Amino acid sequence: MPQLDGEKITVLTIKNRKEAGEKISAVTSYDYPSAKIASKAGIDIILVGDSLGMVLHGDKNTLKVDVDDIIYHTSMVAKAEPLSLVVSDMPFQSYHISVEKAVENALKIVKKGGAEAVKLEGGRKRFNVIEAIINAEIPVMGHLGLTPQSINRLGAYKVQGKVKGKAKEIIQDAIELERIGVFALVLESIPLELAKKITEKVSIPTIGIGAGKYCDGQVMVFHDLIGFTNLYLPKFVRKYADVYSIIYDALERYINDIKKENFPGDKESYHLNKDIDEFLK
Ligand code: KIV
């Protein structure tokens, strides 16, 4: 059922937020219930991120996620008919082989998955691909700074742009991405001073994750934000809930109730009709 309250958020809404000086909220979602709740809570952008490889599949990085995974999870999110803008990640390999393949994959993610925009990582090496996807009428969100799909080249997930040369490169890439036509830009794990500079220099919204308070918006991984795991979390994560403890406690009480024969009780059981009751005696 479409939600009746509120207005559908589009790439235009997102662009206008910056002009209006309104901060943008974004969160990952990989399924129907989390998309429903994110939309209802008023999240601007739902990101079907390739972080799902680590968060849902238990992989050690995002590299194994493929186009079909993104389509599968995007379609669950799209079924929730969120008011939030649905942006899906282009996974590793889906835009690295050729411009044609990249456009074909982006089109699939939109047509089969129901994404309203795609996000892809990288600067100067990806300009031609990004331009071609935009020319295919698909809005693109850029992603600079720490690009997790580069993990094997980088060697570790670490803050980017701390030295002058790299900081300059990120600024130049951001400016060029705006010129090419990306509608927003994720800045991941860069110093807040650099994120501030970029945010001032470009007129498209910057969405930070580990990039400090000066960005035009923030994005976080849903499972980190709600405290779904008790594993290591990066410094930039703020846990707004401790869902892990809530689930753990519920499961412990469930096990206990089964063992003590407290569950199911009469309230949770069905009864025969009176006449059949007699028949079983
Ligand atoms: O995959 C993802 O969830 C992301 C965000 C962390 C920006 O790219």
Side-chain angles (χ1 to χ4, degrees), residues 86-137:
V86 178
V87 181
S88 295
D89 255 337
M90 293 205 57
F92 186 56
Q93 198 187 25
S94 69
Y95 56 99
H96 302 75
I97 296 171
S98 68
V99 172
E100 289 72 24
K101 275 223 154 67
V103 174
E104 189 178 299
N105 284 325
L107 288 166
K108 267 193 204 162
I109 292 170
V110 171
K111 281 188 76 148
K112 290 189 170 178
E116 293 155 341
V118 296
K119 171 169 85 58
L120 57 102
E121 297 180 6
R124 53 200 66 193
K125 289 185 208 156
R126 309 292 165 215
F127 289 159
N128 57 344
V129 164
I130 293 172
E131 199 161 16
I133 296 172
I134 295 170
N135 285 338
E137 311 304 336

Short mmCIF file of all heavy atoms in Angstrom, two decimals, residues 86-137:
data_model
loop_
_atom_site.label_atom_id
_atom_site.label_comp_id
_atom_site.label_asym_id
_atom_site.label_seq_id
_atom_site.Cartn_x
_atom_site.Cartn_y
_atom_site.Cartn_z
N VAL A 86 15.39 6.04 -3.04
CA VAL A 86 16.12 4.76 -2.98
C VAL A 86 17.35 4.80 -3.90
O VAL A 86 17.21 4.89 -5.13
CB VAL A 86 15.20 3.57 -3.37
CG1 VAL A 86 15.99 2.26 -3.34
CG2 VAL A 86 13.99 3.51 -2.44
N VAL A 87 18.51 4.77 -3.28
CA VAL A 87 19.77 4.78 -4.02
C VAL A 87 20.45 3.42 -3.80
O VAL A 87 20.58 2.98 -2.67
CB VAL A 87 20.70 5.90 -3.50
CG1 VAL A 87 22.00 5.93 -4.29
CG2 VAL A 87 20.02 7.26 -3.55
N SER A 88 20.87 2.79 -4.89
CA SER A 88 21.52 1.48 -4.74
C SER A 88 22.97 1.54 -5.17
O SER A 88 23.31 2.21 -6.16
CB SER A 88 20.80 0.42 -5.58
OG SER A 88 19.50 0.25 -5.08
N ASP A 89 23.80 0.82 -4.42
CA ASP A 89 25.22 0.77 -4.77
C ASP A 89 25.45 -0.04 -6.02
O ASP A 89 24.80 -1.07 -6.23
CB ASP A 89 26.00 0.09 -3.62
CG ASP A 89 26.78 1.09 -2.81
OD1 ASP A 89 27.10 2.18 -3.32
OD2 ASP A 89 27.09 0.78 -1.63
N MET A 90 26.39 0.41 -6.85
CA MET A 90 26.88 -0.44 -7.93
C MET A 90 28.02 -1.23 -7.32
O MET A 90 29.00 -0.65 -6.85
CB MET A 90 27.34 0.42 -9.11
CG MET A 90 26.14 1.11 -9.73
SD MET A 90 26.37 1.53 -11.45
CE MET A 90 26.74 0.00 -12.26
N PRO A 91 27.91 -2.57 -7.32
CA PRO A 91 28.94 -3.35 -6.63
C PRO A 91 30.25 -3.46 -7.41
O PRO A 91 30.30 -3.13 -8.61
CB PRO A 91 28.27 -4.71 -6.47
CG PRO A 91 27.29 -4.80 -7.58
CD PRO A 91 26.83 -3.39 -7.86
N PHE A 92 31.25 -3.95 -6.73
CA PHE A 92 32.58 -4.18 -7.31
C PHE A 92 32.45 -5.02 -8.58
O PHE A 92 31.70 -6.01 -8.57
CB PHE A 92 33.44 -4.89 -6.25
CG PHE A 92 34.88 -5.06 -6.64
CD1 PHE A 92 35.65 -3.97 -6.99
CD2 PHE A 92 35.45 -6.32 -6.63
CE1 PHE A 92 36.99 -4.13 -7.34
CE2 PHE A 92 36.78 -6.50 -6.98
CZ PHE A 92 37.55 -5.40 -7.33
N GLN A 93 33.13 -4.66 -9.59
CA GLN A 93 33.16 -5.31 -10.92
C GLN A 93 32.04 -4.85 -11.85
O GLN A 93 32.15 -5.02 -13.06
CB GLN A 93 33.10 -6.85 -10.78
CG GLN A 93 33.56 -7.57 -12.03
CD GLN A 93 33.33 -9.07 -11.97
OE1 GLN A 93 32.47 -9.55 -11.25
NE2 GLN A 93 34.11 -9.81 -12.71
N SER A 94 30.97 -4.25 -11.28
CA SER A 94 29.83 -3.94 -12.14
C SER A 94 30.09 -2.72 -13.01
O SER A 94 29.35 -2.47 -13.96
CB SER A 94 28.56 -3.75 -11.30
OG SER A 94 28.66 -2.57 -10.53
N TYR A 95 31.14 -1.93 -12.69
CA TYR A 95 31.42 -0.73 -13.50
C TYR A 95 32.92 -0.60 -13.81
O TYR A 95 33.41 0.48 -14.12
CB TYR A 95 30.89 0.53 -12.81
CG TYR A 95 31.40 0.77 -11.40
CD1 TYR A 95 32.45 1.66 -11.15
CD2 TYR A 95 30.83 0.14 -10.32
CE1 TYR A 95 32.91 1.89 -9.86
CE2 TYR A 95 31.27 0.36 -9.02
CZ TYR A 95 32.31 1.24 -8.81
OH TYR A 95 32.76 1.45 -7.53
N HIS A 96 33.64 -1.72 -13.69
CA HIS A 96 35.09 -1.67 -13.85
C HIS A 96 35.57 -2.25 -15.19
O HIS A 96 36.73 -2.11 -15.54
CB HIS A 96 35.77 -2.45 -12.72
CG HIS A 96 35.42 -1.93 -11.36
ND1 HIS A 96 34.21 -2.16 -10.76
CD2 HIS A 96 36.12 -1.16 -10.50
CE1 HIS A 96 34.17 -1.58 -9.58
NE2 HIS A 96 35.32 -0.95 -9.39
N ILE A 97 34.66 -2.93 -15.91
CA ILE A 97 35.11 -3.64 -17.12
C ILE A 97 35.01 -2.74 -18.36
O ILE A 97 35.99 -2.57 -19.08
CB ILE A 97 34.31 -4.95 -17.30
CG1 ILE A 97 34.62 -5.88 -16.11
CG2 ILE A 97 34.64 -5.63 -18.63
CD1 ILE A 97 33.77 -7.11 -16.02
N SER A 98 33.85 -2.16 -18.56
CA SER A 98 33.69 -1.25 -19.70
C SER A 98 32.54 -0.29 -19.40
O SER A 98 31.69 -0.58 -18.54
CB SER A 98 33.39 -2.02 -20.99
OG SER A 98 32.10 -2.59 -20.90
N VAL A 99 32.52 0.80 -20.11
CA VAL A 99 31.44 1.79 -19.95
C VAL A 99 30.11 1.14 -20.29
O VAL A 99 29.12 1.30 -19.58
CB VAL A 99 31.72 3.03 -20.84
CG1 VAL A 99 30.53 3.97 -20.84
CG2 VAL A 99 32.97 3.76 -20.37
N GLU A 100 30.10 0.34 -21.37
CA GLU A 100 28.84 -0.31 -21.81
C GLU A 100 28.30 -1.23 -20.72
O GLU A 100 27.12 -1.20 -20.39
CB GLU A 100 29.07 -1.14 -23.10
CG GLU A 100 29.31 -0.31 -24.35
CD GLU A 100 30.68 0.37 -24.36
OE1 GLU A 100 31.62 -0.11 -23.68
OE2 GLU A 100 30.81 1.42 -25.03
N LYS A 101 29.20 -2.04 -20.14
CA LYS A 101 28.76 -2.98 -19.09
C LYS A 101 28.24 -2.21 -17.88
O LYS A 101 27.26 -2.60 -17.24
CB LYS A 101 29.94 -3.88 -18.66
CG LYS A 101 30.12 -5.08 -19.52
CD LYS A 101 30.41 -6.32 -18.64
CE LYS A 101 30.01 -7.61 -19.31
NZ LYS A 101 30.80 -7.95 -20.51
N ALA A 102 28.92 -1.10 -17.57
CA ALA A 102 28.53 -0.30 -16.40
C ALA A 102 27.12 0.25 -16.61
O ALA A 102 26.26 0.18 -15.71
CB ALA A 102 29.53 0.83 -16.19
N VAL A 103 26.86 0.79 -17.80
CA VAL A 103 25.54 1.35 -18.09
C VAL A 103 24.49 0.24 -18.04
O VAL A 103 23.41 0.41 -17.46
CB VAL A 103 25.52 2.08 -19.46
CG1 VAL A 103 24.12 2.54 -19.82
CG2 VAL A 103 26.48 3.28 -19.44
N GLU A 104 24.83 -0.91 -18.62
CA GLU A 104 23.90 -2.04 -18.63
C GLU A 104 23.56 -2.46 -17.19
O GLU A 104 22.39 -2.69 -16.85
CB GLU A 104 24.55 -3.19 -19.38
CG GLU A 104 23.64 -4.36 -19.66
CD GLU A 104 24.39 -5.44 -20.45
OE1 GLU A 104 24.83 -5.15 -21.58
OE2 GLU A 104 24.54 -6.55 -19.91
N ASN A 105 24.56 -2.53 -16.33
CA ASN A 105 24.32 -2.93 -14.93
C ASN A 105 23.50 -1.89 -14.18
O ASN A 105 22.60 -2.24 -13.41
CB ASN A 105 25.66 -3.19 -14.22
CG ASN A 105 26.27 -4.51 -14.64
OD1 ASN A 105 25.55 -5.48 -14.89
ND2 ASN A 105 27.59 -4.57 -14.73
N ALA A 106 23.81 -0.62 -14.42
CA ALA A 106 23.03 0.44 -13.76
C ALA A 106 21.57 0.37 -14.19
O ALA A 106 20.65 0.49 -13.37
CB ALA A 106 23.63 1.81 -14.08
N LEU A 107 21.36 0.14 -15.49
CA LEU A 107 19.98 0.03 -16.00
C LEU A 107 19.24 -1.14 -15.36
O LEU A 107 18.08 -1.03 -14.99
CB LEU A 107 19.99 -0.12 -17.53
CG LEU A 107 20.37 1.14 -18.32
CD1 LEU A 107 20.68 0.80 -19.77
CD2 LEU A 107 19.26 2.19 -18.26
N LYS A 108 19.95 -2.27 -15.19
CA LYS A 108 19.34 -3.45 -14.56
C LYS A 108 18.92 -3.14 -13.12
O LYS A 108 17.86 -3.55 -12.67
CB LYS A 108 20.37 -4.58 -14.51
CG LYS A 108 20.33 -5.52 -15.67
CD LYS A 108 21.16 -6.75 -15.30
CE LYS A 108 21.66 -7.46 -16.52
NZ LYS A 108 22.78 -8.37 -16.22
N ILE A 109 19.80 -2.44 -12.42
CA ILE A 109 19.52 -2.14 -11.00
C ILE A 109 18.27 -1.25 -10.90
O ILE A 109 17.45 -1.41 -10.00
CB ILE A 109 20.77 -1.51 -10.33
CG1 ILE A 109 21.88 -2.56 -10.22
CG2 ILE A 109 20.44 -0.92 -8.97
CD1 ILE A 109 23.25 -2.03 -9.81
N VAL A 110 18.11 -0.36 -11.86
CA VAL A 110 16.92 0.50 -11.87
C VAL A 110 15.69 -0.28 -12.35
O VAL A 110 14.65 -0.26 -11.70
CB VAL A 110 17.17 1.75 -12.77
CG1 VAL A 110 15.89 2.54 -12.97
CG2 VAL A 110 18.25 2.63 -12.15
N LYS A 111 15.85 -0.99 -13.48
CA LYS A 111 14.68 -1.66 -14.08
C LYS A 111 14.19 -2.85 -13.28
O LYS A 111 13.02 -3.02 -13.03
CB LYS A 111 15.02 -2.13 -15.50
CG LYS A 111 14.98 -1.01 -16.51
CD LYS A 111 15.12 -1.53 -17.91
CE LYS A 111 13.82 -2.15 -18.37
NZ LYS A 111 13.59 -1.99 -19.81
N LYS A 112 15.13 -3.72 -12.86
CA LYS A 112 14.72 -4.94 -12.16
C LYS A 112 14.59 -4.72 -10.66
O LYS A 112 13.75 -5.34 -10.01
CB LYS A 112 15.75 -6.06 -12.40
CG LYS A 112 15.75 -6.60 -13.78
CD LYS A 112 16.64 -7.83 -13.78
CE LYS A 112 16.56 -8.62 -15.05
NZ LYS A 112 17.48 -9.77 -15.00
N GLY A 113 15.45 -3.87 -10.11
CA GLY A 113 15.44 -3.68 -8.65
C GLY A 113 14.49 -2.59 -8.20
O GLY A 113 13.90 -2.67 -7.13
N GLY A 114 14.37 -1.56 -9.02
CA GLY A 114 13.51 -0.44 -8.64
C GLY A 114 14.26 0.70 -7.97
O GLY A 114 13.66 1.55 -7.31
N ALA A 115 15.59 0.72 -8.15
CA ALA A 115 16.37 1.83 -7.59
C ALA A 115 16.00 3.12 -8.32
O ALA A 115 15.64 3.09 -9.50
CB ALA A 115 17.86 1.56 -7.74
N GLU A 116 16.10 4.25 -7.60
CA GLU A 116 15.80 5.54 -8.23
C GLU A 116 17.08 6.31 -8.58
O GLU A 116 17.04 7.35 -9.23
CB GLU A 116 14.92 6.36 -7.27
CG GLU A 116 13.55 5.72 -7.14
CD GLU A 116 12.83 6.05 -5.85
OE1 GLU A 116 13.46 6.49 -4.86
OE2 GLU A 116 11.60 5.86 -5.82
N ALA A 117 18.20 5.77 -8.11
CA ALA A 117 19.51 6.34 -8.42
C ALA A 117 20.55 5.28 -8.05
O ALA A 117 20.22 4.33 -7.33
CB ALA A 117 19.75 7.61 -7.59
N VAL A 118 21.76 5.44 -8.55
CA VAL A 118 22.82 4.51 -8.15
C VAL A 118 23.98 5.31 -7.55
O VAL A 118 24.11 6.51 -7.79
CB VAL A 118 23.34 3.65 -9.33
CG1 VAL A 118 22.24 2.74 -9.87
CG2 VAL A 118 23.94 4.50 -10.44
N LYS A 119 24.77 4.60 -6.75
CA LYS A 119 25.99 5.22 -6.18
C LYS A 119 27.17 4.40 -6.65
O LYS A 119 27.09 3.18 -6.69
CB LYS A 119 25.92 5.24 -4.66
CG LYS A 119 27.24 5.67 -4.00
CD LYS A 119 27.10 5.93 -2.53
CE LYS A 119 27.22 4.72 -1.65
NZ LYS A 119 28.49 3.98 -1.77
N LEU A 120 28.23 5.08 -7.02
CA LEU A 120 29.45 4.33 -7.30
C LEU A 120 30.68 5.07 -6.79
O LEU A 120 30.70 6.28 -6.68
CB LEU A 120 29.55 3.90 -8.75
CG LEU A 120 29.52 4.91 -9.87
CD1 LEU A 120 30.90 5.16 -10.38
CD2 LEU A 120 28.66 4.35 -10.98
N GLU A 121 31.66 4.24 -6.45
CA GLU A 121 32.84 4.75 -5.75
C GLU A 121 33.91 5.25 -6.73
O GLU A 121 34.11 4.63 -7.78
CB GLU A 121 33.45 3.63 -4.89
CG GLU A 121 32.55 3.13 -3.80
CD GLU A 121 33.17 2.01 -2.96
OE1 GLU A 121 34.37 1.69 -3.15
OE2 GLU A 121 32.46 1.46 -2.10
N GLY A 122 34.59 6.31 -6.35
CA GLY A 122 35.78 6.71 -7.08
C GLY A 122 35.66 8.05 -7.77
O GLY A 122 34.57 8.55 -8.02
N GLY A 123 36.84 8.60 -8.10
CA GLY A 123 36.93 9.91 -8.74
C GLY A 123 37.37 9.78 -10.18
O GLY A 123 36.68 9.14 -11.00
N ARG A 124 38.51 10.35 -10.48
CA ARG A 124 38.98 10.51 -11.88
C ARG A 124 38.97 9.23 -12.72
O ARG A 124 38.72 9.28 -13.91
CB ARG A 124 40.36 11.17 -11.90
CG ARG A 124 41.41 10.48 -11.04
CD ARG A 124 42.54 11.44 -10.73
NE ARG A 124 42.06 12.55 -9.88
CZ ARG A 124 42.76 13.66 -9.65
NH1 ARG A 124 43.94 13.81 -10.21
NH2 ARG A 124 42.27 14.60 -8.87
N LYS A 125 39.22 8.09 -12.06
CA LYS A 125 39.22 6.84 -12.84
C LYS A 125 37.82 6.47 -13.35
O LYS A 125 37.66 5.64 -14.22
CB LYS A 125 39.71 5.68 -11.97
CG LYS A 125 41.17 5.70 -11.64
CD LYS A 125 41.50 4.42 -10.88
CE LYS A 125 42.67 4.65 -9.95
NZ LYS A 125 42.70 3.72 -8.83
N ARG A 126 36.81 7.06 -12.74
CA ARG A 126 35.42 6.66 -13.04
C ARG A 126 34.59 7.73 -13.75
O ARG A 126 33.40 7.53 -13.97
CB ARG A 126 34.70 6.28 -11.73
CG ARG A 126 35.43 5.30 -10.86
CD ARG A 126 35.53 3.91 -11.48
NE ARG A 126 36.54 3.12 -10.77
CZ ARG A 126 37.34 2.24 -11.33
NH1 ARG A 126 37.27 1.99 -12.61
NH2 ARG A 126 38.23 1.59 -10.62
N PHE A 127 35.20 8.87 -14.06
CA PHE A 127 34.42 9.98 -14.64
C PHE A 127 33.64 9.55 -15.89
O PHE A 127 32.47 9.87 -16.05
CB PHE A 127 35.33 11.15 -15.02
CG PHE A 127 35.90 11.90 -13.83
CD1 PHE A 127 37.05 12.68 -13.99
CD2 PHE A 127 35.31 11.85 -12.59
CE1 PHE A 127 37.58 13.39 -12.92
CE2 PHE A 127 35.84 12.55 -11.50
CZ PHE A 127 36.98 13.32 -11.67
N ASN A 128 34.32 8.80 -16.79
CA ASN A 128 33.63 8.44 -18.06
C ASN A 128 32.44 7.52 -17.82
O ASN A 128 31.38 7.68 -18.44
CB ASN A 128 34.62 7.84 -19.08
CG ASN A 128 35.33 6.63 -18.55
OD1 ASN A 128 35.34 6.37 -17.33
ND2 ASN A 128 35.94 5.86 -19.44
N VAL A 129 32.61 6.61 -16.88
CA VAL A 129 31.52 5.68 -16.55
C VAL A 129 30.34 6.44 -15.94
O VAL A 129 29.18 6.25 -16.32
CB VAL A 129 32.06 4.60 -15.57
CG1 VAL A 129 30.93 3.87 -14.89
CG2 VAL A 129 32.97 3.62 -16.29
N ILE A 130 30.65 7.32 -15.01
CA ILE A 130 29.60 8.09 -14.32
C ILE A 130 28.83 8.94 -15.34
O ILE A 130 27.60 8.99 -15.32
CB ILE A 130 30.22 8.95 -13.18
CG1 ILE A 130 30.74 8.02 -12.08
CG2 ILE A 130 29.19 9.94 -12.62
CD1 ILE A 130 31.55 8.71 -10.98
N GLU A 131 29.57 9.58 -16.22
CA GLU A 131 28.93 10.43 -17.23
C GLU A 131 27.99 9.60 -18.11
O GLU A 131 26.86 10.02 -18.40
CB GLU A 131 30.02 11.09 -18.08
CG GLU A 131 29.53 12.29 -18.82
CD GLU A 131 30.66 13.19 -19.28
OE1 GLU A 131 31.83 12.76 -19.31
OE2 GLU A 131 30.35 14.36 -19.62
N ALA A 132 28.43 8.41 -18.50
CA ALA A 132 27.61 7.56 -19.37
C ALA A 132 26.34 7.11 -18.64
O ALA A 132 25.27 7.05 -19.24
CB ALA A 132 28.43 6.36 -19.83
N ILE A 133 26.45 6.80 -17.37
CA ILE A 133 25.26 6.36 -16.61
C ILE A 133 24.27 7.52 -16.48
O ILE A 133 23.07 7.35 -16.66
CB ILE A 133 25.66 5.78 -15.23
CG1 ILE A 133 26.51 4.51 -15.42
CG2 ILE A 133 24.42 5.48 -14.38
CD1 ILE A 133 27.12 3.96 -14.14
N ILE A 134 24.81 8.71 -16.22
CA ILE A 134 23.91 9.89 -16.14
C ILE A 134 23.24 10.12 -17.50
O ILE A 134 22.05 10.43 -17.56
CB ILE A 134 24.68 11.14 -15.65
CG1 ILE A 134 25.18 10.93 -14.21
CG2 ILE A 134 23.80 12.40 -15.74
CD1 ILE A 134 26.14 11.99 -13.70
N ASN A 135 24.01 9.92 -18.57
CA ASN A 135 23.43 10.09 -19.92
C ASN A 135 22.35 9.06 -20.22
O ASN A 135 21.53 9.26 -21.12
CB ASN A 135 24.51 10.04 -21.00
CG ASN A 135 25.31 11.33 -21.03
OD1 ASN A 135 24.82 12.37 -20.57
ND2 ASN A 135 26.53 11.28 -21.51
N ALA A 136 22.35 7.95 -19.46
CA ALA A 136 21.29 6.95 -19.62
C ALA A 136 20.11 7.28 -18.72
O ALA A 136 19.26 6.42 -18.45
CB ALA A 136 21.84 5.56 -19.31
N GLU A 137 20.07 8.51 -18.24
CA GLU A 137 18.94 9.02 -17.42
C GLU A 137 18.89 8.44 -16.02
O GLU A 137 17.83 8.40 -15.40
CB GLU A 137 17.57 8.81 -18.12
CG GLU A 137 17.49 9.26 -19.57
CD GLU A 137 17.87 10.71 -19.77
OE1 GLU A 137 17.77 11.50 -18.82
OE2 GLU A 137 18.29 11.07 -20.90
#
